């Protein structure tokens, strides 16, 4: 019996481990705990940001939600309009096939997502044809409508992706993702591979489409400036664990976890002395195959005490709607974002 879910998507205690192998006989040489008991919720119609440095498990989370990777443990509950709450971990093939039509993923690199030999018409029509949704004139009309919705002229319909700019190609990816009218879109760093000049336009398009179609987004990003502007709630991850969650505005104004403070401190500011610095100041991310014991962040944390090396802090509710995984979350006075980030493409 699946517990009813007030949110469109609920990730409950999800773990995912990769076994690493090497050598001629592919000996197992270690494990990477890419997701370690991850829980968060995605309310319908909202945008949830999943943020953290490279290698913390963001893409793995996206793939586990979409079914490309299988979770080792936990539940992923999607509330389907027809079927009600469905636990995607362990659901039958038939149910999954139906539910997955309501979920689509957009990837970072539009070139990798689009077959260069296919014309735009076929690329956008493909999901509708495969799922036998439309054909003939109705299919053509729908492709024209999707092209227009993402700001591309229907005149481009019979061109190939190489004739388009990077930003236009990402618009085709978005049109293709929206073809089946999904409710949830998992966008994995959707603007990271684009020129800075077109990042804001692409974000604006995603926002407009969200309003028009009442979409729900899980927005994966490593750029905090973008997350600050684009998301309603934020989930901060570090080495496979959730470090902090909360309403984005509040998380950025007053973080409750030293890792979030370090991430915010690394964002370049307009007129600020940190302009140009793009990395967390306290060193490199440790190997995910050999994460530090206790609190994973302790070797880099300026507030670390003995207990941090020995005991894993639990993810706890510190204030209503605010969770943090830190032994000292109640007592530390951490710094938030005090001025506008210089790097963020600012949507209108
Ligand atoms: N297929 C895989 N096999 C082995 N390790 C993997 C695989 N995919 C991801 N990982 C590892 O899992 C961790 C999380 O990766 P990923 O989810 O891609 O992080 P992010 O998207 O946050 O950069 C990393 O240590 C990465 O090397
Ligand atoms: S538990 Fe300790 S090491 Fe971890 S973030 Fe808090 S103070 Fe830093
Ligand atoms: Mg990634």
């Amino acid at each position: 019996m699946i517990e009813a879910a007030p949110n469109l998507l609920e990730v409950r205690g999800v773990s995912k481990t990769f076994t690493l192998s090497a050598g001629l006989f592919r000996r197992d040489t270690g494990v990477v705990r890419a997701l370690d008991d991850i829980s968060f919720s995605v309310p319908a119609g909202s945008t949830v940001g999943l943020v953290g440095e490279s290698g913390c498990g963001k893409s793995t989370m996206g793939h586990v939600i979409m079914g490309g990777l299988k979770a080792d443990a936990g539940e992923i509950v999607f509330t389907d309009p027809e079927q009600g709450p469905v636990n995607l971990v362990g659901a039958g093939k038939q149910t999954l096939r139906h539910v997955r039509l309501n979920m689509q993923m957009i990837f970072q690199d539009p070139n990798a997502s689009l077959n260069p030999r296919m014309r735009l018409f076929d690329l956008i029509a493909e999901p509708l044809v495969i799922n036998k949704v439309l054909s003939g004139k109705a299919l053509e009309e729908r492709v024209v409508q999707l092209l227009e919705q993402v700001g591309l002229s229907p005149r481009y319909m019979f061109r190939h992706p190489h004739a388009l700019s990077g930003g236009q190609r990402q618009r085709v990816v978005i049109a293709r993702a929206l073809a089946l009218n999904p409710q949830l879109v998992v966008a994995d760093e959707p603007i990271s591979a684009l020129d800075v000049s077109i990042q804001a336009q692409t974000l604006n398009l995603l926002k407009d489409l969200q309003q028009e179609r009442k979409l729900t987004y899980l927005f994966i990003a490593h750029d905090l400036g973008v997350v600050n502007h684009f998301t309603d709630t934020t989930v901060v991850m570090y080495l496979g664990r959730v470090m902090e969650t909360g309403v984005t505005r509040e998380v950025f104004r007053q973080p409750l976890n030293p890792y979030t403070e370090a991430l915010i401190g690394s964002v370049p500011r307009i007129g600020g002395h940190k302009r140009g610095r793009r990395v967390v100041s306290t060193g490199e991310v440790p190997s995910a195959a050999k994460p530090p014991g206790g609190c994973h962040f302790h070797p880099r944390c300026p507030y670390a005490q003995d207990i941090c090396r020995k005991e894993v802090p639990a993810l706890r509710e510190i204030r209503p709607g605010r969770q943090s995984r830190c032994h000292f979350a109640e007592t530390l006075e951490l710094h938030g974002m005090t001025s506008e980030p210089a790097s963020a493409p600012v949507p209108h």
Side-chain angles (χ1 to χ4, degrees), residues 28 45 61 68 72 106 127 164 180 242 251 291 295 320 323:
D28 289 354
M61 190 69 250
D72 301 335
I106 298 172
L164 306 180
L180 291 169
V242 172
V251 170
C295 174
Q323 291 179 307

Side-chain angles (χ1 to χ4, degrees), residues 243 257-258 295 297-298 301 303-304 308 313 325-328 332:
M243 298 299 271
N257 189 287
C295 174
F297 189 53
H298 83 252
C301 180
Y303 311 103
C308 306
R325 186 189 284 281
C326 172
H327 291 302
F328 306 107
L332 289 173

Side-chain angles (χ1 to χ4, degrees), residues 250-291:
E250 293 174 17
V251 170
F252 279 75
R253 191 172 50 81
Q254 193 177 32
L256 295 176
N257 189 287
Y259 179 59
T260 316
E261 182 188 56
L263 279 181
I264 291 172
S266 69
V267 176
R269 306 285 151 71
I270 293 168
H273 62 284
K274 298 206 168 154
R275 182 189 282 269
R277 275 226 332 261
R278 300 284 311 170
V279 291
V280 173
S281 56
T282 46
E284 296 293 311
V285 184
S287 159
K290 277 199 192 115

